[in-house]
Amino acid sequence: MALGAGEHRNGEGTRWMRGAFATFYVVLAVTNYLMLDGYARIATTLLAALTAALLAVATVPMPARWGRRTWTDHLGYVPVLGGVAQVAISRESHYTTTLMITLVGVAVAMRRRRTFVAATVLGCLGWVAAVIGEPALRGDDLGYWAVQLFIAALVAAILHEALRRRERELRIARDEISAVADRFGSLFHASPSGVAIADERDVIVAANQAFCDLVGRTEQDLIGSSSEPFAGSASPLPERRFERPDGTVRWVWSSVGRSAGWVLIQLQDVTDRRLAEAAVRDSDRLLAAVSAAARRIRTGEDARSTIIGAVRELAEADSVSLMEPARSRELVVTGALGAQVLGTRIPLDGTSMTARVFTGGEPVFLADATQDPRVSPALLALVDGRSMMWQPVIADGAVLAVLVVGWSRRVDSVSDHRARAVAMLADETALALEHERLLRRLEQMAFTDTLTGLPNRRAWQERLATLFTRGRPLVVAIVDLDRFKRYNDTHGHLAGDELLQRAALAFAAELGGDDMIARWGGEEFVIALPSCSGLSAFDLLERVRLATPGAETCSIGYAVWDGEESAESLLERADEALYAAKNNGRDLVHAAPEPAALRS
């Protein structure tokens, strides 16, 4: 293709020179017509006109199959013969000048050396023949014109050879430029980077396939379009976000070079690197969130808020809720961020998606939760959700809770890092909930009597201290099983333990919701009756005495708090009342004397 273009340019130059030569013969024909007369005028004018016409035809582009290159080169003989004929017909030696000019013109217009040499030799021999055949030409100036003709032929030969060499050099230069252009074109189209070229009007004139793939447009669409979207300075950073026509997003590193009005645009796809960097950042954030949750778990703090906040950030969500089971076969929101849903309850026996995930233990993601009948419209309204995700919190194969993640916009899919983050933080949530339950069990064990299941002395002391701070009426009683040692010796320790257990259940059943019973030690129990007067306390404690299991009995002593005395003093008075009941025959309820503050 490059050689063809070079030949086309050479042909254009040759046709231009032949056209100029034809113009010369038109002028010559006019001159002969005006300057000569008779037969010479007619013959030379017609010959010059014919030569001009043939040269003019040679300037017209014709199909290559016609062999134009061969026959047009042979036209070099025509002007030479015309020049010889003009000398012979006019019988004047000075018309040798026309032949001299013709030889120079042939040297310029004819590309083939053989044609030029033959035409030049033919012209010189024809002139010699004309001189020999026409005595009028053999004048005193014959030698002058012979030398001039020789010099013209020599100049024409030198000029023709110089033009041929120049043409050859230009052809070699064109071939080299063409080879460089071909190599550049190969590199341009094979480049893995997107490359486009724009002209001085910022209009794209070329774009490789990598550029088309990167911007999501065909080469036909790009050619002729503005380069501003790709070479513009909207972003001061070389890396910028580019959205393709199909909506997909690519990150590109762009560089723009300008030279002599041309613009070279290079786009390097760095999307994979950006995604890898984002994945590393997400992993770091996830690790930091897990570490923060683990620290709160180790310190015994409630890690729910930390985990919920991390889930919302890493999943790029608008709301996150943690739902845990309640005793009433319900799921209740125990932690939330981004929505006012704390305390919201959902029945476990319903058909809601949250209940399904809790019972099934499988995570669920819905790109458009509004179109799924399993999703409660009330829940969507509360969290302003469009896309939703339910992630079960599982420990030892049992579902402990459900993380509900919501997006107010549509999210077509949950990316790997989002799903991984939610799943990992769900594991941390399970660990936190298990840790919390373990702490509660340990706390319960620390404050519970292992035999009877009642609060122990430590729990009693904390509860009594709380009641004292309220400043309301309070009655404290001490219950002692009568002759328990003899029962223990007679029936054995196992039977004695069983009696303590049955007594604890029976006594507790007689008390109200605010009342408290605890095991004081051995066969003794303590009872706190808040907001209770002495008379009503006696009636209640009498029912407790009568509730003693089997044929056994108990003695009870109680004291009414005066609002000022210490807990130790109050318990001491109740203990004295118990001893009084024992001394009076047992199986009695005895009240301690009222303090002076109450009597007054």
PDB file of all heavy atoms in Angstrom, residues 116-131:
ATOM      1  N   PHE A 116      14.438   8.574 -22.961  1.00  0.00           N
ATOM      2  CA  PHE A 116      15.134   9.863 -23.042  1.00  0.00           C
ATOM      3  C   PHE A 116      16.346   9.781 -23.956  1.00  0.00           C
ATOM      4  O   PHE A 116      16.556  10.649 -24.821  1.00  0.00           O
ATOM      5  CB  PHE A 116      15.555  10.319 -21.649  1.00  0.00           C
ATOM      6  CG  PHE A 116      16.572  11.420 -21.661  1.00  0.00           C
ATOM      7  CD1 PHE A 116      16.200  12.716 -22.029  1.00  0.00           C
ATOM      8  CD2 PHE A 116      17.912  11.162 -21.370  1.00  0.00           C
ATOM      9  CE1 PHE A 116      17.146  13.723 -22.059  1.00  0.00           C
ATOM     10  CE2 PHE A 116      18.852  12.181 -21.408  1.00  0.00           C
ATOM     11  CZ  PHE A 116      18.462  13.458 -21.746  1.00  0.00           C
ATOM     12  N   VAL A 117      17.156   8.733 -23.764  1.00  0.00           N
ATOM     13  CA  VAL A 117      18.367   8.605 -24.584  1.00  0.00           C
ATOM     14  C   VAL A 117      17.997   8.458 -26.070  1.00  0.00           C
ATOM     15  O   VAL A 117      18.572   9.102 -26.963  1.00  0.00           O
ATOM     16  CB  VAL A 117      19.214   7.405 -24.111  1.00  0.00           C
ATOM     17  CG1 VAL A 117      20.374   7.142 -25.083  1.00  0.00           C
ATOM     18  CG2 VAL A 117      19.756   7.676 -22.728  1.00  0.00           C
ATOM     19  N   ALA A 118      16.997   7.619 -26.320  1.00  0.00           N
ATOM     20  CA  ALA A 118      16.597   7.405 -27.718  1.00  0.00           C
ATOM     21  C   ALA A 118      16.046   8.681 -28.333  1.00  0.00           C
ATOM     22  O   ALA A 118      16.344   9.018 -29.486  1.00  0.00           O
ATOM     23  CB  ALA A 118      15.557   6.292 -27.784  1.00  0.00           C
ATOM     24  N   ALA A 119      15.235   9.421 -27.544  1.00  0.00           N
ATOM     25  CA  ALA A 119      14.668  10.669 -28.070  1.00  0.00           C
ATOM     26  C   ALA A 119      15.750  11.701 -28.307  1.00  0.00           C
ATOM     27  O   ALA A 119      15.723  12.450 -29.311  1.00  0.00           O
ATOM     28  CB  ALA A 119      13.623  11.199 -27.094  1.00  0.00           C
ATOM     29  N   THR A 120      16.727  11.774 -27.393  1.00  0.00           N
ATOM     30  CA  THR A 120      17.821  12.747 -27.547  1.00  0.00           C
ATOM     31  C   THR A 120      18.666  12.408 -28.773  1.00  0.00           C
ATOM     32  O   THR A 120      19.007  13.296 -29.589  1.00  0.00           O
ATOM     33  CB  THR A 120      18.682  12.764 -26.278  1.00  0.00           C
ATOM     34  OG1 THR A 120      17.863  13.092 -25.147  1.00  0.00           O
ATOM     35  CG2 THR A 120      19.801  13.785 -26.407  1.00  0.00           C
ATOM     36  N   VAL A 121      19.034  11.139 -28.921  1.00  0.00           N
ATOM     37  CA  VAL A 121      19.831  10.721 -30.096  1.00  0.00           C
ATOM     38  C   VAL A 121      19.043  10.956 -31.375  1.00  0.00           C
ATOM     39  O   VAL A 121      19.579  11.456 -32.388  1.00  0.00           O
ATOM     40  CB  VAL A 121      20.225   9.234 -29.967  1.00  0.00           C
ATOM     41  CG1 VAL A 121      20.878   8.727 -31.270  1.00  0.00           C
ATOM     42  CG2 VAL A 121      21.172   9.054 -28.786  1.00  0.00           C
ATOM     43  N   LEU A 122      17.735  10.632 -31.328  1.00  0.00           N
ATOM     44  CA  LEU A 122      16.904  10.854 -32.505  1.00  0.00           C
ATOM     45  C   LEU A 122      16.846  12.337 -32.850  1.00  0.00           C
ATOM     46  O   LEU A 122      16.924  12.717 -34.036  1.00  0.00           O
ATOM     47  CB  LEU A 122      15.490  10.326 -32.228  1.00  0.00           C
ATOM     48  CG  LEU A 122      14.471  10.512 -33.365  1.00  0.00           C
ATOM     49  CD1 LEU A 122      14.912   9.736 -34.612  1.00  0.00           C
ATOM     50  CD2 LEU A 122      13.080  10.046 -32.916  1.00  0.00           C
ATOM     51  N   GLY A 123      16.738  13.206 -31.841  1.00  0.00           N
ATOM     52  CA  GLY A 123      16.684  14.643 -32.111  1.00  0.00           C
ATOM     53  C   GLY A 123      17.980  15.158 -32.712  1.00  0.00           C
ATOM     54  O   GLY A 123      17.974  15.954 -33.660  1.00  0.00           O
ATOM     55  N   CYS A 124      19.113  14.729 -32.163  1.00  0.00           N
ATOM     56  CA  CYS A 124      20.408  15.193 -32.663  1.00  0.00           C
ATOM     57  C   CYS A 124      20.650  14.689 -34.095  1.00  0.00           C
ATOM     58  O   CYS A 124      21.083  15.446 -34.986  1.00  0.00           O
ATOM     59  CB  CYS A 124      21.521  14.716 -31.745  1.00  0.00           C
ATOM     60  SG  CYS A 124      21.481  15.521 -30.116  1.00  0.00           S
ATOM     61  N   LEU A 125      20.362  13.393 -34.324  1.00  0.00           N
ATOM     62  CA  LEU A 125      20.543  12.839 -35.660  1.00  0.00           C
ATOM     63  C   LEU A 125      19.580  13.485 -36.646  1.00  0.00           C
ATOM     64  O   LEU A 125      19.932  13.734 -37.828  1.00  0.00           O
ATOM     65  CB  LEU A 125      20.340  11.327 -35.634  1.00  0.00           C
ATOM     66  CG  LEU A 125      21.413  10.518 -34.876  1.00  0.00           C
ATOM     67  CD1 LEU A 125      21.059   9.027 -34.865  1.00  0.00           C
ATOM     68  CD2 LEU A 125      22.801  10.742 -35.475  1.00  0.00           C
ATOM     69  N   GLY A 126      18.363  13.743 -36.198  1.00  0.00           N
ATOM     70  CA  GLY A 126      17.403  14.407 -37.089  1.00  0.00           C
ATOM     71  C   GLY A 126      17.868  15.799 -37.462  1.00  0.00           C
ATOM     72  O   GLY A 126      17.701  16.252 -38.608  1.00  0.00           O
ATOM     73  N   TRP A 127      18.456  16.516 -36.495  1.00  0.00           N
ATOM     74  CA  TRP A 127      18.970  17.867 -36.779  1.00  0.00           C
ATOM     75  C   TRP A 127      20.110  17.796 -37.772  1.00  0.00           C
ATOM     76  O   TRP A 127      20.189  18.588 -38.706  1.00  0.00           O
ATOM     77  CB  TRP A 127      19.418  18.508 -35.473  1.00  0.00           C
ATOM     78  CG  TRP A 127      19.889  19.929 -35.663  1.00  0.00           C
ATOM     79  CD1 TRP A 127      19.146  21.049 -35.702  1.00  0.00           C
ATOM     80  CD2 TRP A 127      21.247  20.357 -35.842  1.00  0.00           C
ATOM     81  NE1 TRP A 127      19.900  22.169 -35.877  1.00  0.00           N
ATOM     82  CE2 TRP A 127      21.249  21.756 -35.978  1.00  0.00           C
ATOM     83  CE3 TRP A 127      22.485  19.699 -35.914  1.00  0.00           C
ATOM     84  CZ2 TRP A 127      22.407  22.500 -36.184  1.00  0.00           C
ATOM     85  CZ3 TRP A 127      23.645  20.452 -36.110  1.00  0.00           C
ATOM     86  CH2 TRP A 127      23.589  21.837 -36.227  1.00  0.00           C
ATOM     87  N   VAL A 128      20.995  16.807 -37.588  1.00  0.00           N
ATOM     88  CA  VAL A 128      22.125  16.626 -38.519  1.00  0.00           C
ATOM     89  C   VAL A 128      21.593  16.308 -39.924  1.00  0.00           C
ATOM     90  O   VAL A 128      22.057  16.842 -40.945  1.00  0.00           O
ATOM     91  CB  VAL A 128      23.062  15.510 -38.028  1.00  0.00           C
ATOM     92  CG1 VAL A 128      24.112  15.174 -39.099  1.00  0.00           C
ATOM     93  CG2 VAL A 128      23.749  15.947 -36.746  1.00  0.00           C
ATOM     94  N   ALA A 129      20.575  15.434 -39.949  1.00  0.00           N
ATOM     95  CA  ALA A 129      19.999  15.080 -41.259  1.00  0.00           C
ATOM     96  C   ALA A 129      19.361  16.286 -41.906  1.00  0.00           C
ATOM     97  O   ALA A 129      19.436  16.480 -43.146  1.00  0.00           O
ATOM     98  CB  ALA A 129      18.963  13.963 -41.082  1.00  0.00           C
ATOM     99  N   ALA A 130      18.674  17.128 -41.110  1.00  0.00           N
ATOM    100  CA  ALA A 130      18.059  18.332 -41.669  1.00  0.00           C
ATOM    101  C   ALA A 130      19.119  19.266 -42.218  1.00  0.00           C
ATOM    102  O   ALA A 130      18.924  19.901 -43.279  1.00  0.00           O
ATOM    103  CB  ALA A 130      17.222  19.025 -40.593  1.00  0.00           C
ATOM    104  N   VAL A 131      20.219  19.406 -41.508  1.00  0.00           N
ATOM    105  CA  VAL A 131      21.294  20.285 -41.962  1.00  0.00           C
ATOM    106  C   VAL A 131      21.895  19.734 -43.267  1.00  0.00           C
ATOM    107  O   VAL A 131      22.191  20.494 -44.230  1.00  0.00           O
ATOM    108  CB  VAL A 131      22.375  20.418 -40.878  1.00  0.00           C
ATOM    109  CG1 VAL A 131      23.622  21.119 -41.439  1.00  0.00           C
ATOM    110  CG2 VAL A 131      21.813  21.196 -39.699  1.00  0.00           C
TER     111      VAL A 131
END
